[in-house]
Amino acid sequence: MQGFHSRLPADLPLGESAPMNTPRSSFLQSVNRHFTHAMGFLDLPEGLAERIIQCNSTYTVHFGVRLRGRMYSFTGWRSVHSEHREPVKGGIRFTPHADAEEVEALAALMTLKCSLTDLPFGGSKGALKIDPAQWTQPELERITRRFTQELTKRGLIGPGLNVPAPDMGTGEREMAWMADEFRRANPADAIHARACVTGKPLSKGGIAGRTEATGRGVQYAVHSYLQDARTPGVGGRRDPENLRIVVQGFGNVGYHAAKFLSEEDGALITVVAERDGQVVNPQGLAIEELKRHHLKTGSILGFEGGESVAGGSGGLEQPCDILIPAAMENAISEENAARTKAALIVEAANGPLTFEADRILRQRGVIVLPDLYVNAGGVVVSYFEWVKNLTHIPFGLMERRRRERRNHAIAEALEQMTGNTFPAGMRDGFLEGGREIDLVRSGLEDVMRSTWSRIADLLESRPELGDYRTAAYVAAIGEIAAAYEAIGI
Ligand code: GLU
């Protein structure tokens, strides 16, 4: 059984701000309330606001796979939130907790993220209701391939239509299976088939730096905020060195963000919190060692480089300068929002604050860097991968040697003119012609910095917007509205 349906948007009248005492929000309601709140600051033609908020379609599929001598049924979804730009883009998560509403909320966030960062994509998201830990690798491969067949049949995967990517519970391996399955089903278009998903392994058309991209983007978001003289920094401090950071969630995003902020910027990751508890070290946790321990034992608890505290969600309430929720949606709600201690919350996860939590934190003067900006690094580097697949040429290939030769010539000229030798520490960086990873990082940093300016400039010129999230929503929705008006729908 399968079908499309469309869910109604916010339960609030459009163009009005939600009152403070609204009932507890689900994830989708939270996103829709943020949408509705932001719409109140935009002067949109009648009906357009509703058109933009509404998820265009959600495809639900139930399919069977014969495994372990019997038939097992699986349920999956792919939501297309907005096709104002195509292809539509967004990850696919494998989790036992998935449902259609969550997928629609995530798809809406993808529309906003792509618009805010000016990527040429609409928003989409998918999920398969499955606990990957319950299945062997060959079983997961068969299930993933069957799901891909369903998506292919419906035009819900394809380089120009809909381009999935990794999300919670999926990674390079699943993306390689999906790309291969799609290519088999489309032999006539095999030349572009690799661009049907992003986040693939390098050997299968992936791009350097995609796995770390979301965490890297979180780091650039923190830099952009701290270095902007218009912000108060963190208690006036503008250097990440020695800032105390709590990271909730030690998956791909939490791990990479913690790693870069501590190893490269000198911040102290004083707490890492996971579902089963937290590890604490006021002097800063050694993130690489913690990762090794996590891989070996399956838990962060018991790590020798810190004190382990089992159970609870208390990590979010530990004293710190910056709190980085990097796990699930709704981690901070009206229940615990008043007990968080950070001056700055950096939303590395999608939707970690409910609408109500966001209001409570705002009243307390806590600054929140919103998810649609902070975690956009993944889809930005996905965009680079998609372009690489479609152009069939690695980034930098045509000019690397030429640039190296030119830089050599400049270095030599400088040495001759000054009589000094080029400082050894700078030499390699200056002479190097730009590997793919360097170009990816440079491109990502550029997008994160310019997007920050876009948000901060808008808030500066329209202080009535009140916070960075509303400014980001207003910027993103303004672009979507312009696209809708231009195409006349
Ligand atoms: N799943 C990631 C996200 O939520 C990446 C999406 C993509 O690369 O398309 O942003």
Side-chain angles (χ1 to χ4, degrees), residues 336-382:
N336 55 358
R339 295 196 299 274
T340 62
K341 310 282 189 304
L344 177 68
I345 297 184
V346 179
E347 292 187 328
N350 285 310
L353 270 58
T354 64
F355 184 84
E356 294 81 11
D358 194 64
R359 301 283 112 166
I360 293 167
L361 290 161
R362 235 187 93 182
Q363 277 186 341
R364 288 180 46 208
V366 175
I367 292 171
V368 178
L369 304 189
D371 49 5
L372 67 159
Y373 167 58
V374 172
N375 71 34
V379 70
V380 170
V381 177
S382 276

mmCIF file of all heavy atoms in Angstrom, residues 336-382:
data_model
loop_
_atom_site.group_PDB
_atom_site.id
_atom_site.type_symbol
_atom_site.label_atom_id
_atom_site.label_comp_id
_atom_site.label_asym_id
_atom_site.label_seq_id
_atom_site.Cartn_x
_atom_site.Cartn_y
_atom_site.Cartn_z
ATOM 1 N N ASN A 336 12.813 21.690 30.309
ATOM 2 C CA ASN A 336 14.186 21.888 30.780
ATOM 3 C C ASN A 336 14.830 23.202 30.302
ATOM 4 O O ASN A 336 15.957 23.502 30.687
ATOM 5 C CB ASN A 336 15.077 20.692 30.369
ATOM 6 C CG ASN A 336 15.032 20.422 28.874
ATOM 7 O OD1 ASN A 336 14.319 21.101 28.142
ATOM 8 N ND2 ASN A 336 15.789 19.444 28.422
ATOM 9 N N ALA A 337 14.112 23.986 29.494
ATOM 10 C CA ALA A 337 14.723 25.193 28.912
ATOM 11 C C ALA A 337 15.216 26.159 29.992
ATOM 12 O O ALA A 337 16.262 26.788 29.846
ATOM 13 C CB ALA A 337 13.732 25.899 27.992
ATOM 14 N N ALA A 338 14.483 26.249 31.092
ATOM 15 C CA ALA A 338 14.854 27.214 32.130
ATOM 16 C C ALA A 338 16.099 26.764 32.890
ATOM 17 O O ALA A 338 16.731 27.569 33.579
ATOM 18 C CB ALA A 338 13.686 27.387 33.100
ATOM 19 N N ARG A 339 16.438 25.480 32.768
ATOM 20 C CA ARG A 339 17.581 24.975 33.549
ATOM 21 C C ARG A 339 18.889 24.933 32.754
ATOM 22 O O ARG A 339 19.929 24.598 33.304
ATOM 23 C CB ARG A 339 17.261 23.579 34.087
ATOM 24 C CG ARG A 339 16.106 23.573 35.102
ATOM 25 C CD ARG A 339 16.075 22.270 35.892
ATOM 26 N NE ARG A 339 15.865 21.123 35.030
ATOM 27 C CZ ARG A 339 14.663 20.666 34.651
ATOM 28 N NH1 ARG A 339 13.571 21.271 35.067
ATOM 29 N NH2 ARG A 339 14.560 19.611 33.881
ATOM 30 N N THR A 340 18.848 25.258 31.458
ATOM 31 C CA THR A 340 20.117 25.280 30.713
ATOM 32 C C THR A 340 20.932 26.486 31.195
ATOM 33 O O THR A 340 20.368 27.483 31.638
ATOM 34 C CB THR A 340 19.883 25.395 29.186
ATOM 35 O OG1 THR A 340 19.208 26.620 28.922
ATOM 36 C CG2 THR A 340 19.065 24.228 28.663
ATOM 37 N N LYS A 341 22.265 26.370 31.114
ATOM 38 C CA LYS A 341 23.113 27.417 31.715
ATOM 39 C C LYS A 341 23.871 28.251 30.679
ATOM 40 O O LYS A 341 24.478 29.247 31.021
ATOM 41 C CB LYS A 341 24.159 26.772 32.643
ATOM 42 C CG LYS A 341 23.607 25.773 33.655
ATOM 43 C CD LYS A 341 22.944 26.467 34.836
ATOM 44 C CE LYS A 341 22.576 25.503 35.956
ATOM 45 N NZ LYS A 341 21.710 24.399 35.559
ATOM 46 N N ALA A 342 23.889 27.800 29.416
ATOM 47 C CA ALA A 342 24.744 28.456 28.418
ATOM 48 C C ALA A 342 24.213 29.831 28.025
ATOM 49 O O ALA A 342 23.008 30.058 28.018
ATOM 50 C CB ALA A 342 24.837 27.573 27.174
ATOM 51 N N ALA A 343 25.148 30.727 27.669
ATOM 52 C CA ALA A 343 24.766 32.039 27.149
ATOM 53 C C ALA A 343 24.448 31.943 25.660
ATOM 54 O O ALA A 343 23.735 32.771 25.102
ATOM 55 C CB ALA A 343 25.912 33.025 27.352
ATOM 56 N N LEU A 344 25.009 30.901 25.025
ATOM 57 C CA LEU A 344 24.844 30.728 23.574
ATOM 58 C C LEU A 344 24.477 29.274 23.283
ATOM 59 O O LEU A 344 25.154 28.347 23.757
ATOM 60 C CB LEU A 344 26.168 31.077 22.870
ATOM 61 C CG LEU A 344 26.219 30.900 21.355
ATOM 62 C CD1 LEU A 344 25.309 31.908 20.646
ATOM 63 C CD2 LEU A 344 27.653 31.056 20.839
ATOM 64 N N ILE A 345 23.413 29.071 22.521
ATOM 65 C CA ILE A 345 23.034 27.720 22.097
ATOM 66 C C ILE A 345 23.201 27.638 20.584
ATOM 67 O O ILE A 345 22.687 28.481 19.842
ATOM 68 C CB ILE A 345 21.590 27.376 22.518
ATOM 69 C CG1 ILE A 345 21.498 27.373 24.050
ATOM 70 C CG2 ILE A 345 21.161 26.024 21.949
ATOM 71 C CD1 ILE A 345 20.161 26.949 24.618
ATOM 72 N N VAL A 346 23.943 26.621 20.151
ATOM 73 C CA VAL A 346 24.256 26.460 18.738
ATOM 74 C C VAL A 346 23.568 25.178 18.270
ATOM 75 O O VAL A 346 23.963 24.077 18.643
ATOM 76 C CB VAL A 346 25.796 26.385 18.548
ATOM 77 C CG1 VAL A 346 26.156 26.182 17.085
ATOM 78 C CG2 VAL A 346 26.470 27.649 19.088
ATOM 79 N N GLU A 347 22.540 25.331 17.445
ATOM 80 C CA GLU A 347 21.695 24.181 17.085
ATOM 81 C C GLU A 347 22.315 23.335 15.967
ATOM 82 O O GLU A 347 22.025 23.551 14.789
ATOM 83 C CB GLU A 347 20.318 24.662 16.635
ATOM 84 C CG GLU A 347 19.491 25.288 17.737
ATOM 85 C CD GLU A 347 18.069 25.586 17.272
ATOM 86 O OE1 GLU A 347 17.862 25.883 16.081
ATOM 87 O OE2 GLU A 347 17.165 25.520 18.113
ATOM 88 N N ALA A 348 23.117 22.361 16.351
ATOM 89 C CA ALA A 348 23.736 21.492 15.352
ATOM 90 C C ALA A 348 22.758 20.424 14.859
ATOM 91 O O ALA A 348 22.868 19.944 13.736
ATOM 92 C CB ALA A 348 24.982 20.839 15.933
ATOM 93 N N ALA A 349 21.805 20.041 15.703
ATOM 94 C CA ALA A 349 20.771 19.077 15.287
ATOM 95 C C ALA A 349 19.677 19.816 14.535
ATOM 96 O O ALA A 349 19.641 21.047 14.515
ATOM 97 C CB ALA A 349 20.183 18.391 16.508
ATOM 98 N N ASN A 350 18.776 19.074 13.934
ATOM 99 C CA ASN A 350 17.581 19.678 13.347
ATOM 100 C C ASN A 350 16.511 19.768 14.423
ATOM 101 O O ASN A 350 16.153 18.759 15.037
ATOM 102 C CB ASN A 350 17.073 18.809 12.190
ATOM 103 C CG ASN A 350 17.928 18.955 10.948
ATOM 104 O OD1 ASN A 350 18.210 20.054 10.497
ATOM 105 N ND2 ASN A 350 18.364 17.825 10.399
ATOM 106 N N GLY A 351 16.024 20.966 14.677
ATOM 107 C CA GLY A 351 14.912 21.162 15.605
ATOM 108 C C GLY A 351 15.156 20.758 17.043
ATOM 109 O O GLY A 351 14.250 20.218 17.688
ATOM 110 N N PRO A 352 16.348 21.027 17.622
ATOM 111 C CA PRO A 352 16.575 20.580 19.004
ATOM 112 C C PRO A 352 15.789 21.373 20.047
ATOM 113 O O PRO A 352 15.638 20.902 21.173
ATOM 114 C CB PRO A 352 18.084 20.781 19.194
ATOM 115 C CG PRO A 352 18.454 21.863 18.242
ATOM 116 C CD PRO A 352 17.547 21.690 17.054
ATOM 117 N N LEU A 353 15.286 22.571 19.675
ATOM 118 C CA LEU A 353 14.492 23.370 20.617
ATOM 119 C C LEU A 353 13.043 23.379 20.164
ATOM 120 O O LEU A 353 12.775 23.629 18.983
ATOM 121 C CB LEU A 353 14.969 24.831 20.613
ATOM 122 C CG LEU A 353 16.069 25.257 21.573
ATOM 123 C CD1 LEU A 353 17.330 24.464 21.370
ATOM 124 C CD2 LEU A 353 16.365 26.747 21.388
ATOM 125 N N THR A 354 12.122 23.150 21.084
ATOM 126 C CA THR A 354 10.714 23.329 20.704
ATOM 127 C C THR A 354 10.448 24.830 20.606
ATOM 128 O O THR A 354 11.231 25.656 21.107
ATOM 129 C CB THR A 354 9.755 22.728 21.742
ATOM 130 O OG1 THR A 354 9.922 23.445 22.969
ATOM 131 C CG2 THR A 354 10.009 21.239 21.959
ATOM 132 N N PHE A 355 9.330 25.159 20.005
ATOM 133 C CA PHE A 355 8.945 26.565 19.872
ATOM 134 C C PHE A 355 8.880 27.225 21.248
ATOM 135 O O PHE A 355 9.352 28.347 21.446
ATOM 136 C CB PHE A 355 7.579 26.643 19.170
ATOM 137 C CG PHE A 355 7.131 28.041 18.893
ATOM 138 C CD1 PHE A 355 7.567 28.711 17.763
ATOM 139 C CD2 PHE A 355 6.265 28.694 19.762
ATOM 140 C CE1 PHE A 355 7.152 30.008 17.502
ATOM 141 C CE2 PHE A 355 5.841 29.986 19.504
ATOM 142 C CZ PHE A 355 6.288 30.645 18.370
ATOM 143 N N GLU A 356 8.306 26.502 22.216
ATOM 144 C CA GLU A 356 8.164 27.071 23.566
ATOM 145 C C GLU A 356 9.529 27.266 24.224
ATOM 146 O O GLU A 356 9.781 28.281 24.884
ATOM 147 C CB GLU A 356 7.297 26.185 24.470
ATOM 148 C CG GLU A 356 5.847 26.080 24.049
ATOM 149 C CD GLU A 356 5.621 25.069 22.936
ATOM 150 O OE1 GLU A 356 6.559 24.296 22.620
ATOM 151 O OE2 GLU A 356 4.521 25.046 22.361
ATOM 152 N N ALA A 357 10.411 26.284 24.060
ATOM 153 C CA ALA A 357 11.758 26.400 24.637
ATOM 154 C C ALA A 357 12.459 27.631 24.066
ATOM 155 O O ALA A 357 13.117 28.385 24.785
ATOM 156 C CB ALA A 357 12.564 25.137 24.337
ATOM 157 N N ASP A 358 12.280 27.833 22.777
ATOM 158 C CA ASP A 358 12.898 28.972 22.106
ATOM 159 C C ASP A 358 12.431 30.291 22.744
ATOM 160 O O ASP A 358 13.224 31.195 22.994
ATOM 161 C CB ASP A 358 12.504 28.921 20.626
ATOM 162 C CG ASP A 358 13.346 29.841 19.767
ATOM 163 O OD1 ASP A 358 14.555 29.593 19.694
ATOM 164 O OD2 ASP A 358 12.801 30.805 19.201
ATOM 165 N N ARG A 359 11.125 30.366 23.017
ATOM 166 C CA ARG A 359 10.582 31.586 23.650
ATOM 167 C C ARG A 359 11.161 31.783 25.049
ATOM 168 O O ARG A 359 11.545 32.882 25.424
ATOM 169 C CB ARG A 359 9.049 31.500 23.789
ATOM 170 C CG ARG A 359 8.315 31.310 22.490
ATOM 171 C CD ARG A 359 8.237 32.589 21.736
ATOM 172 N NE ARG A 359 9.061 32.487 20.534
ATOM 173 C CZ ARG A 359 9.027 33.319 19.518
ATOM 174 N NH1 ARG A 359 8.234 34.345 19.555
ATOM 175 N NH2 ARG A 359 9.798 33.154 18.481
ATOM 176 N N ILE A 360 11.198 30.697 25.819
ATOM 177 C CA ILE A 360 11.711 30.789 27.202
ATOM 178 C C ILE A 360 13.165 31.263 27.181
ATOM 179 O O ILE A 360 13.558 32.163 27.935
ATOM 180 C CB ILE A 360 11.598 29.410 27.911
ATOM 181 C CG1 ILE A 360 10.118 29.049 28.117
ATOM 182 C CG2 ILE A 360 12.352 29.404 29.239
ATOM 183 C CD1 ILE A 360 9.877 27.601 28.523
ATOM 184 N N LEU A 361 13.954 30.690 26.293
ATOM 185 C CA LEU A 361 15.373 31.048 26.230
ATOM 186 C C LEU A 361 15.551 32.491 25.793
ATOM 187 O O LEU A 361 16.408 33.209 26.308
ATOM 188 C CB LEU A 361 16.113 30.089 25.289
ATOM 189 C CG LEU A 361 16.230 28.672 25.862
ATOM 190 C CD1 LEU A 361 16.520 27.657 24.771
ATOM 191 C CD2 LEU A 361 17.318 28.611 26.938
ATOM 192 N N ARG A 362 14.725 32.914 24.868
ATOM 193 C CA ARG A 362 14.799 34.314 24.412
ATOM 194 C C ARG A 362 14.513 35.259 25.564
ATOM 195 O O ARG A 362 15.200 36.259 25.741
ATOM 196 C CB ARG A 362 13.788 34.521 23.288
ATOM 197 C CG ARG A 362 14.435 35.079 22.051
ATOM 198 C CD ARG A 362 13.407 35.437 21.029
ATOM 199 N NE ARG A 362 13.023 36.833 21.154
ATOM 200 C CZ ARG A 362 12.104 37.406 20.409
ATOM 201 N NH1 ARG A 362 11.458 36.693 19.513
ATOM 202 N NH2 ARG A 362 11.827 38.674 20.556
ATOM 203 N N GLN A 363 13.485 34.924 26.345
ATOM 204 C CA GLN A 363 13.147 35.777 27.491
ATOM 205 C C GLN A 363 14.302 35.845 28.486
ATOM 206 O O GLN A 363 14.503 36.852 29.146
ATOM 207 C CB GLN A 363 11.924 35.204 28.207
ATOM 208 C CG GLN A 363 10.631 35.622 27.566
ATOM 209 C CD GLN A 363 9.428 35.163 28.367
ATOM 210 O OE1 GLN A 363 9.531 34.251 29.192
ATOM 211 N NE2 GLN A 363 8.295 35.787 28.128
ATOM 212 N N ARG A 364 15.051 34.721 28.572
ATOM 213 C CA ARG A 364 16.188 34.699 29.496
ATOM 214 C C ARG A 364 17.422 35.385 28.903
ATOM 215 O O ARG A 364 18.479 35.414 29.535
ATOM 216 C CB ARG A 364 16.542 33.248 29.838
ATOM 217 C CG ARG A 364 15.535 32.569 30.748
ATOM 218 C CD ARG A 364 15.982 31.127 31.026
ATOM 219 N NE ARG A 364 17.404 31.081 31.365
ATOM 220 C CZ ARG A 364 18.202 30.037 31.138
ATOM 221 N NH1 ARG A 364 17.729 28.948 30.572
ATOM 222 N NH2 ARG A 364 19.460 30.078 31.482
ATOM 223 N N GLY A 365 17.333 35.846 27.675
ATOM 224 C CA GLY A 365 18.470 36.538 27.054
ATOM 225 C C GLY A 365 19.505 35.591 26.476
ATOM 226 O O GLY A 365 20.621 36.005 26.133
ATOM 227 N N VAL A 366 19.147 34.313 26.356
ATOM 228 C CA VAL A 366 20.080 33.350 25.759
ATOM 229 C C VAL A 366 20.061 33.542 24.240
ATOM 230 O O VAL A 366 18.989 33.719 23.650
ATOM 231 C CB VAL A 366 19.663 31.897 26.106
ATOM 232 C CG1 VAL A 366 20.548 30.883 25.404
ATOM 233 C CG2 VAL A 366 19.681 31.704 27.616
ATOM 234 N N ILE A 367 21.227 33.531 23.622
ATOM 235 C CA ILE A 367 21.290 33.695 22.167
ATOM 236 C C ILE A 367 21.282 32.315 21.516
ATOM 237 O O ILE A 367 21.998 31.402 21.951
ATOM 238 C CB ILE A 367 22.537 34.501 21.773
ATOM 239 C CG1 ILE A 367 22.349 35.939 22.281
ATOM 240 C CG2 ILE A 367 22.752 34.483 20.267
ATOM 241 C CD1 ILE A 367 23.552 36.796 22.168
ATOM 242 N N VAL A 368 20.442 32.170 20.496
ATOM 243 C CA VAL A 368 20.332 30.877 19.809
ATOM 244 C C VAL A 368 20.732 31.047 18.351
ATOM 245 O O VAL A 368 20.180 31.890 17.645
ATOM 246 C CB VAL A 368 18.879 30.339 19.885
ATOM 247 C CG1 VAL A 368 18.755 29.018 19.114
ATOM 248 C CG2 VAL A 368 18.443 30.144 21.343
ATOM 249 N N LEU A 369 21.719 30.255 17.917
ATOM 250 C CA LEU A 369 22.045 30.206 16.483
ATOM 251 C C LEU A 369 21.216 29.064 15.907
ATOM 252 O O LEU A 369 21.341 27.920 16.339
ATOM 253 C CB LEU A 369 23.541 29.968 16.249
ATOM 254 C CG LEU A 369 24.505 30.961 16.902
ATOM 255 C CD1 LEU A 369 25.927 30.709 16.400
ATOM 256 C CD2 LEU A 369 24.114 32.400 16.622
ATOM 257 N N PRO A 370 20.355 29.361 14.924
ATOM 258 C CA PRO A 370 19.320 28.394 14.526
ATOM 259 C C PRO A 370 19.821 27.288 13.602
ATOM 260 O O PRO A 370 20.740 27.498 12.799
ATOM 261 C CB PRO A 370 18.299 29.271 13.810
ATOM 262 C CG PRO A 370 19.108 30.392 13.237
ATOM 263 C CD PRO A 370 20.237 30.641 14.198
ATOM 264 N N ASP A 371 19.152 26.133 13.707
ATOM 265 C CA ASP A 371 19.501 24.943 12.927
ATOM 266 C C ASP A 371 19.597 25.187 11.425
ATOM 267 O O ASP A 371 20.507 24.708 10.776
ATOM 268 C CB ASP A 371 18.499 23.806 13.206
ATOM 269 C CG ASP A 371 17.042 24.243 13.107
ATOM 270 O OD1 ASP A 371 16.779 25.394 12.742
ATOM 271 O OD2 ASP A 371 16.154 23.407 13.419
ATOM 272 N N LEU A 372 18.657 25.924 10.863
ATOM 273 C CA LEU A 372 18.657 26.067 9.404
ATOM 274 C C LEU A 372 19.926 26.750 8.907
ATOM 275 O O LEU A 372 20.302 26.593 7.743
ATOM 276 C CB LEU A 372 17.407 26.784 8.897
ATOM 277 C CG LEU A 372 17.170 28.239 9.227
ATOM 278 C CD1 LEU A 372 16.192 28.853 8.247
ATOM 279 C CD2 LEU A 372 16.642 28.399 10.614
ATOM 280 N N TYR A 373 20.604 27.479 9.809
ATOM 281 C CA TYR A 373 21.922 28.018 9.465
ATOM 282 C C TYR A 373 23.044 27.073 9.939
ATOM 283 O O TYR A 373 23.881 26.634 9.147
ATOM 284 C CB TYR A 373 22.098 29.401 10.094
ATOM 285 C CG TYR A 373 23.527 29.889 10.063
ATOM 286 C CD1 TYR A 373 24.198 30.011 8.858
ATOM 287 C CD2 TYR A 373 24.209 30.198 11.243
ATOM 288 C CE1 TYR A 373 25.526 30.433 8.826
ATOM 289 C CE2 TYR A 373 25.532 30.623 11.206
ATOM 290 C CZ TYR A 373 26.184 30.736 10.000
ATOM 291 O OH TYR A 373 27.492 31.141 9.958
ATOM 292 N N VAL A 374 23.016 26.748 11.228
ATOM 293 C CA VAL A 374 24.168 26.062 11.842
ATOM 294 C C VAL A 374 24.480 24.719 11.184
ATOM 295 O O VAL A 374 25.646 24.393 10.963
ATOM 296 C CB VAL A 374 23.907 25.855 13.352
ATOM 297 C CG1 VAL A 374 24.983 24.977 13.980
ATOM 298 C CG2 VAL A 374 23.836 27.194 14.067
ATOM 299 N N ASN A 375 23.439 23.919 10.869
ATOM 300 C CA ASN A 375 23.763 22.582 10.357
ATOM 301 C C ASN A 375 23.649 22.478 8.830
ATOM 302 O O ASN A 375 23.562 21.378 8.287
ATOM 303 C CB ASN A 375 22.955 21.502 11.081
ATOM 304 C CG ASN A 375 21.491 21.506 10.722
ATOM 305 O OD1 ASN A 375 21.108 21.800 9.598
ATOM 306 N ND2 ASN A 375 20.652 21.143 11.670
ATOM 307 N N ALA A 376 23.709 23.611 8.160
ATOM 308 C CA ALA A 376 23.586 23.592 6.693
ATOM 309 C C ALA A 376 24.850 23.072 5.993
ATOM 310 O O ALA A 376 24.838 22.815 4.789
ATOM 311 C CB ALA A 376 23.253 24.992 6.181
ATOM 312 N N GLY A 377 25.942 22.893 6.747
ATOM 313 C CA GLY A 377 27.206 22.475 6.127
ATOM 314 C C GLY A 377 27.096 21.174 5.345
ATOM 315 O O GLY A 377 27.742 21.013 4.308
ATOM 316 N N GLY A 378 26.267 20.258 5.830
ATOM 317 C CA GLY A 378 26.114 18.962 5.155
ATOM 318 C C GLY A 378 25.567 19.147 3.747
ATOM 319 O O GLY A 378 26.132 18.652 2.766
ATOM 320 N N VAL A 379 24.495 19.897 3.640
ATOM 321 C CA VAL A 379 23.880 20.027 2.316
ATOM 322 C C VAL A 379 24.715 20.943 1.412
ATOM 323 O O VAL A 379 24.723 20.774 0.186
ATOM 324 C CB VAL A 379 22.398 20.463 2.421
ATOM 325 C CG1 VAL A 379 22.231 21.893 2.888
ATOM 326 C CG2 VAL A 379 21.698 20.269 1.087
ATOM 327 N N VAL A 380 25.465 21.858 2.001
ATOM 328 C CA VAL A 380 26.340 22.704 1.172
ATOM 329 C C VAL A 380 27.396 21.829 0.477
ATOM 330 O O VAL A 380 27.606 21.930 -0.744
ATOM 331 C CB VAL A 380 27.021 23.810 2.023
ATOM 332 C CG1 VAL A 380 28.107 24.514 1.226
ATOM 333 C CG2 VAL A 380 25.988 24.818 2.520
ATOM 334 N N VAL A 381 28.023 20.929 1.240
ATOM 335 C CA VAL A 381 29.045 20.075 0.617
ATOM 336 C C VAL A 381 28.386 19.021 -0.282
ATOM 337 O O VAL A 381 28.959 18.602 -1.286
ATOM 338 C CB VAL A 381 29.994 19.485 1.680
ATOM 339 C CG1 VAL A 381 30.996 18.538 1.044
ATOM 340 C CG2 VAL A 381 30.738 20.624 2.390
ATOM 341 N N SER A 382 27.158 18.628 0.042
ATOM 342 C CA SER A 382 26.398 17.769 -0.879
ATOM 343 C C SER A 382 26.247 18.454 -2.237
ATOM 344 O O SER A 382 26.317 17.818 -3.284
ATOM 345 C CB SER A 382 25.001 17.481 -0.323
ATOM 346 O OG SER A 382 25.025 16.410 0.574
#
